[in-house]
Amino acid sequence: MKKNITTLLGVLLAGSMAFSLAACGNSSNNASTNTAASDTSSSAASDSSSSADAGAGFEEVPVGPSGTAEEQDQEAGPLTVGAVYFQPIDMEPASMGLKAAEASFHLEADIHGNEQAVDLGYGKGDFIPDLTVNYTIIDKSTGKEVEGGKATSGTFMQMNASDGPHYGANVKLDKAGTYQLKLSIESPAAKGWMLHVDPETGVKGHFWTEPIEVTFDNWDYTPRQW
């Protein structure tokens, strides 16, 4: 009988030790799982922060006094015209215009139809394609076109970006100062754009025959490290 009791106690002791080891193992596994979850959470937060930081570098600066929102879009005939600049960008085909590495900024003209453009068959707020947009940057201190820069005058190219189509070009302008941006906008007719004029499908208006001139004055410009 004594031998049987001893055997029984041995079995119980072995079972107790096995249970303790299993519990320790589970505790260790849970700790590992919690640590991994914490690391994953931290990594996700870090990635989110990095993404936010990466997107924070993009900033459109209005062309106008102090480069602030004092600049307003201008109404000119059937057009609403705005002008902004931001970091130089790469475009394709790469052979057109300055490369981003050679430029100080990307200059953009946003041109959309206003209420008058409805008579030409456009919707209010629509981008107006196929315009010839000539631009010139004038140095206000001399009253003359900028000297020593690159692509400080010419014809904007039309292009698409993630926020839609616009007219623009990369420009190199190293000297801080007060400038004036002049735009001369020819109608789509200059590129052969036609209008329906019949009673059933025709439009009420006609394209402008002389270039529309738009000026953004007192542009306070300081070179930036984008």
Side-chain angles (χ1 to χ4, degrees), residues 62-87:
V63 173
S66 302
T68 68
E70 293 175 29
E71 180 273 338
Q72 299 292 326
D73 289 346
Q74 298 190 33
E75 303 297 325
L79 308 177
T80 299
V81 184
V84 297
Y85 67 103
F86 45 94
Q87 72 256 30

Side-chain angles (χ1 to χ4, degrees), residues 39 61 64 73 82 135 148 168 223 225:
D39 290 345
V61 184
D73 289 346
Y135 72 97
Q225 294 296 323

Side-chain angles (χ1 to χ4, degrees), residues 43-193:
S43 177
S46 177
D47 290 345
S48 176
S49 176
S50 298
S51 297
D53 291 343
F58 178 75
E59 178 190 4
E60 284 190 345
V61 184
V63 173
S66 302
T68 68
E70 293 175 29
E71 180 273 338
Q72 299 292 326
D73 289 346
Q74 298 190 33
E75 303 297 325
L79 308 177
T80 299
V81 184
V84 297
Y85 67 103
F86 45 94
Q87 72 256 30
I89 50 94
D90 286 313
M91 301 167 282
E92 62 176 29
S95 59
M96 299 178 67
L98 285 181
K99 296 179 180 179
E102 300 172 348
S104 304
F105 55 83
H106 185 74
L107 182 61
E108 173 176 313
D110 295 309
I111 304 178
H112 300 85
N114 56 27
E115 291 181 357
Q116 294 182 39
V118 175
D119 288 340
L120 296 172
Y122 301 105
K124 183 178 178 181
D126 283 356
F127 170 74
I128 308 297
D130 249 359
L131 300 174
T132 300
V133 182
N134 298 307
Y135 72 97
T136 306
I137 300 176
I138 305 295
D139 187 337
K140 293 276 287 188
S141 67
T142 64
K144 298 179 180 179
E145 183 182 329
V146 169
E147 297 179 356
K150 287 184 180 180
T152 52
S153 66
T155 302
F156 280 144
M157 298 167 284
Q158 53 186 342
M159 61 193 71
N160 279 3
S162 58
D163 61 351
H166 63 272
Y167 297 89
N170 282 341
V171 174
K172 183 170 179 59
L173 181 59
D174 295 328
K175 179 184 174 184
T178 302
Y179 297 91
Q180 183 182 75
L181 174 64
K182 289 188 173 182
L183 303 181
S184 178
I185 306 169
E186 298 179 21
S187 85
K191 291 188 176 180
W193 201 280

